[in-house]
Amino acid sequence: MVDEVEALLTIAEDLERRDERAAAALLEVERLQAEVDELRTRAGAVAALLRELPAVRAALEAEEQAATEAQEGAVAAWRGAEDELARLQERGGENARLQAARAAQHARDALEEAELRVARAQQERARLEQEGIEGGAESERLEQRGAELAVHPRLEHEVVAPATGLHGLIDWAARARGELIVAHAALAADRDTIVREASELVASVLGDPLAATSVAGVRQRLERALGSGSA
């Protein structure tokens, strides 16, 4: 009887170890899935940024050029208005002076707006250039991380390493994601099998199946039921 009890407890202990390994493997695959998904998302965003960068840069350069030309015209208009105001202040009538003062004020306002337009265009261009620098740096970082993930034991022999560039990385991430989905499904099925075996073992001893999604504590439960104090 003692030998039979020990055999049952040994089986329970083996099921617990198998379940722990299966649970750890599932967590590892889920972590890899999250990393690969994040890598794919970020690579797609950076690739889109770098792809659109030349067109956006050209548009901003055109806007800055137009703003600079508008500023030059506003400067000329302001100087002309100020000269006219100075001339009329000396020898013009009151109405003429008032009109010239209003015209000079309008010219100053237009010049300030033109200067703000130039400043905004320059700021946008500087921001875009910084985004380009950061995008290039992130592209290198993402490719490096992709190369590191590609040699993970779960992926190294199942998915061909990514080609150079973000598009190669995106393609690799899509294939790696598919492989990890398959691996996750297989591991989940293995764990279901272990739980079923544990349930059948408990049912054979206690008459009631194990109602759980893992087999942790099965050995202790059987020890208590069988009145065994052995480990």
Side-chain angles (χ1 to χ4, degrees):
M1 179 63 180
V2 173
D3 290 343
E4 183 180 348
V5 169
E6 286 300 323
L8 289 172
L9 295 179
T10 299
I11 293 172
E13 187 175 1
D14 179 64
L15 286 170
E16 287 184 344
R17 284 196 297 266
R18 288 169 57 196
D19 185 59
E20 288 175 359
R21 289 195 297 269
L26 274 171
L27 285 175
E28 178 191 40
V29 168
E30 289 168 0
R31 179 186 62 79
L32 275 174
Q33 285 178 310
E35 284 208 58
V36 168
D37 285 344
E38 181 182 4
L39 189 70
R40 185 184 183 193
T41 299
R42 287 302 308 150
V46 174
L49 169 68
L50 296 179
R51 182 174 61 250
E52 296 166 3
L53 193 62
V56 177
R57 182 185 288 117
L60 285 177
E61 288 175 351
E63 166 58 17
E64 186 176 359
Q65 178 62 32
T68 300
E69 292 174 358
Q71 182 186 31
E72 292 171 354
V75 168
W78 168 72
R79 286 174 177 169
E82 288 293 334
D83 289 344
E84 179 65 9
L85 176 60
R87 185 182 68 79
L88 291 174
Q89 289 285 14
E90 294 180 358
R91 59 178 67 88
E94 183 177 355
N95 287 338
R97 288 197 302 272
L98 289 174
Q99 290 178 1
R102 284 195 292 269
Q105 183 60 53
H106 290 159
R108 282 192 293 271
D109 292 342
L111 177 57
E112 289 178 3
E113 180 59 33
E115 290 171 343
L116 287 174
R117 182 183 174 187
V118 170
R120 285 194 298 267
Q122 291 173 340
Q123 289 170 358
E124 279 298 298
R125 184 164 58 82
R127 180 192 59 77
L128 183 67
E129 293 305 325
Q130 184 60 32
E131 282 189 0
I133 293 172
E134 292 173 358
E138 185 168 10
S139 175
E140 293 180 2
R141 183 185 66 79
L142 291 171
E143 288 192 62
Q144 176 61 36
R145 185 54 184 152
E148 293 169 356
L149 289 175
V151 297
H152 190 282
R154 285 273 176 196
L155 298 171
E156 183 177 15
H157 302 298
E158 305 298 332
V159 184
V160 177
T164 303
L166 287 176
H167 292 294
L169 178 61
I170 293 169
D171 290 342
W172 172 86
R175 295 194 301 273
R177 183 175 184 273
E179 176 60 32
L180 290 171
I181 289 173
V182 172
H184 189 279
L187 288 168
D190 287 345
R191 197 173 188 203
D192 287 344
T193 298
I194 296 169
V195 172
R196 184 172 64 253
E197 291 177 13
S199 179
E200 291 171 354
L201 177 63
V202 171
S204 70
V205 176
L206 306 180
D208 295 322
L210 177 70
T213 57
S214 74
V215 298
V218 166
R219 178 187 170 93
Q220 289 184 349
R221 182 174 178 179
L222 290 179
E223 282 179 339
R224 289 193 300 269
L226 295 170
S228 171
S230 60

